[in-house]
Amino acid sequence: MGKTTRILGATLGAVALTASLSACGGDSLEKTKDGGTASSESSSSSSGGKGKLVIGAAGFTESNVLAELYAQVLKDAGYGTSITTVNNRELYEPSLEKGEIDIVPEYAATLAEFLNAKVNGGNAPEEKPVASSDVTATVAALDKLVGPRGLKALPAGAAVDQNAFAVTKEFARKNNLTSLSDLGRSGLKVKIAASDECAVRPFCAVGLKKTYGIDISGIDPKGVGTPQAKQAVKDGVDQLVLTTTTDASLDTYGLVLLDDDKKLQNADNILPVVNAKDAGSPEIAAALDKLTKVLTTADLVDLNRKVDTERAKPADVAKAFLESKGLLKK
């Protein structure tokens, strides 16, 4: 399990949230600062004159890289940093509230709906969603949910990791497709390689039919963005695969994303969420904002690829990226 389960999970109710929003991998929380629970420190662990900060990572590649980026930027700003890897949002969000973790890289829409379910009941994300494709409105809704919990959402950037749909480059070229609207207008029947839930989810088959008029012939339950799902599309068994905008392996399968031109998907832009008491200072916000402002979706794809395909360490790719953007002092 990984980030892809988080993405589709944004549409689920509370019972399913526990399973679908969790990012698997990493150590469970055990023992960390102030007698709280847990910590596996990364190579970014350091002491600094301005105090110590614990950054949470959710155990999948992208989250690990983002945590390294945050840790190294803050270390450069004079803070001691360490990274704690936590199994899932159900564990790290309460730890963030308690101050056992100070900062977590998050996804605006997913966190907003997670807290919506937590505050307003399991059916709230479907019956009264607070997230939308509008990042400004989504972050505003998130602000209202995190504030009473002693948290603060810092500004979101352009980098976004959300549901996305891909076809083979050959299929796109043959049928003149660059967007999901093009696919709808084409009248082509497509079978989607996705999870079982795709058939009933508003951001998957239901939304593709309603928003784009896409003719869906069926769902091939091979999972979200799995190698098996992408291979099925490459082989022509299926025509469309549900994956994410930061999937780093699409080229390997000869696949290309179709543009979500009518904004079906929620705004899962990446942003730092901090414990307001321990990490809510303007100085911390300013240090993280320098990164947020330059990080793009394409950057995330590249960073993910280097870790997953080239087997580079998250700490190393984070350092190289930050140096390339002039965000670390020489």
Side-chain angles (χ1 to χ4, degrees):
M1 227 190 308
K3 66 174 178 168
T4 49
T5 55
R6 171 192 63 74
I7 294 292
L8 191 61
T11 69
L12 306 181
V15 175
L17 272 166
T18 302
S20 296
L21 287 172
S22 61
C24 296
D27 304 322
S28 60
L29 285 173
E30 281 179 46
K31 205 81 173 131
T32 190
K33 70 171 199 165
D34 301 324
T37 46
S39 177
S40 91
E41 295 191 355
S42 80
S43 56
S44 291
S45 180
S46 65
S47 57
K50 295 180 182 177
K52 296 181 180 180
L53 296 169
V54 177
I55 293 92
F60 57 91
T61 296
E62 185 169 286
S63 183
N64 295 340
V65 170
L66 286 166
E68 284 287 354
L69 289 168
Y70 285 16
Q72 292 183 36
V73 160
L74 290 165
K75 176 185 175 184
D76 194 64
Y79 296 89
T81 60
S82 63
I83 294 174
T84 295
T85 304
V86 189
N87 280 337
N88 57 52
R89 189 174 277 104
E90 286 74 22
L91 290 176
Y92 72 66
E93 191 274 330
S95 293
L96 189 60
E97 290 184 29
K98 294 173 187 172
E100 296 163 355
I101 293 173
D102 300 303
I103 302 162
V104 174
E106 263 292 4
Y107 301 86
T110 296
L111 181 60
E113 294 300 1
F114 174 84
L115 293 175
N116 186 20
K118 196 169 183 177
V119 173
N120 299 311
N123 294 327
E126 290 181 350
E127 295 177 358
K128 291 186 178 180
V130 295
S132 69
S133 61
D134 183 330
V135 64
T136 302
T138 298
V139 173
L142 177 60
D143 284 337
K144 292 178 182 177
L145 288 163
V146 297
R149 311 186 87 82
L151 307 178
K152 182 189 293 185
L154 300 183
V160 60
D161 182 353
Q162 61 195 25
N163 285 348
F165 295 90
V167 296
T168 64
K169 292 177 182 178
E170 181 183 0
F171 187 80
R173 190 164 50 245
K174 179 181 176 183
N175 296 290
N176 197 26
L177 308 175
T178 60
S179 68
L180 290 170
S181 285
D182 291 339
L183 182 57
R185 283 190 295 267
S186 74
L188 294 164
K189 285 184 180 291
V190 294
K191 191 173 184 181
I192 307 175
S195 59
D196 288 331
E197 294 91 348
C198 178
V200 295
R201 295 299 170 205
F203 301 131
C204 201
V206 175
L208 291 178
K209 290 175 183 176
K210 182 178 179 181
T211 302
Y212 290 107
I214 294 171
D215 190 351
I216 297 167
S217 62
I219 308 296
D220 187 1
K222 284 187 163 57
V224 182
T226 62
Q228 295 88 346
K230 284 176 276 198
Q231 187 66 44
V233 175
K234 179 183 179 181
D235 292 343
V237 175
D238 304 324
Q239 292 72 47
L240 195 66
V241 61
L242 170 62
T243 183
T244 69
T245 51
T246 61
D247 188 328
S249 67
L250 293 178
D251 275 347
T252 304
Y253 295 91
L255 304 180
V256 62
L257 294 179
L258 294 180
D259 183 35
D260 178 22
D261 52 309
K262 292 185 179 178
K263 307 297 181 189
L264 171 63
Q265 304 303 326
N266 279 345
D268 254 328
N269 295 63
I270 291 159
L271 76 175
V273 178
V274 305
N275 178 287
K277 180 183 176 185
D278 295 341
S281 73
E283 192 172 6
I284 289 173
L288 291 170
D289 199 47
K290 289 178 184 177
L291 169 63
T292 299
K293 283 180 175 176
V294 301
L295 188 67
T296 67
T297 305
D299 290 333
L300 280 178
V301 173
D302 188 50
L303 293 167
N304 288 340
R305 182 187 297 112
K306 286 175 178 173
V307 174
D308 288 336
T309 305
E310 300 172 21
R311 302 301 177 195
K313 293 180 180 178
D316 293 338
V317 301
K319 183 180 180 183
F321 175 80
L322 293 170
E323 287 177 342
S324 75
K325 298 296 182 182
L327 294 179
L328 294 183
K329 298 185 188 79
K330 296 293 185 184

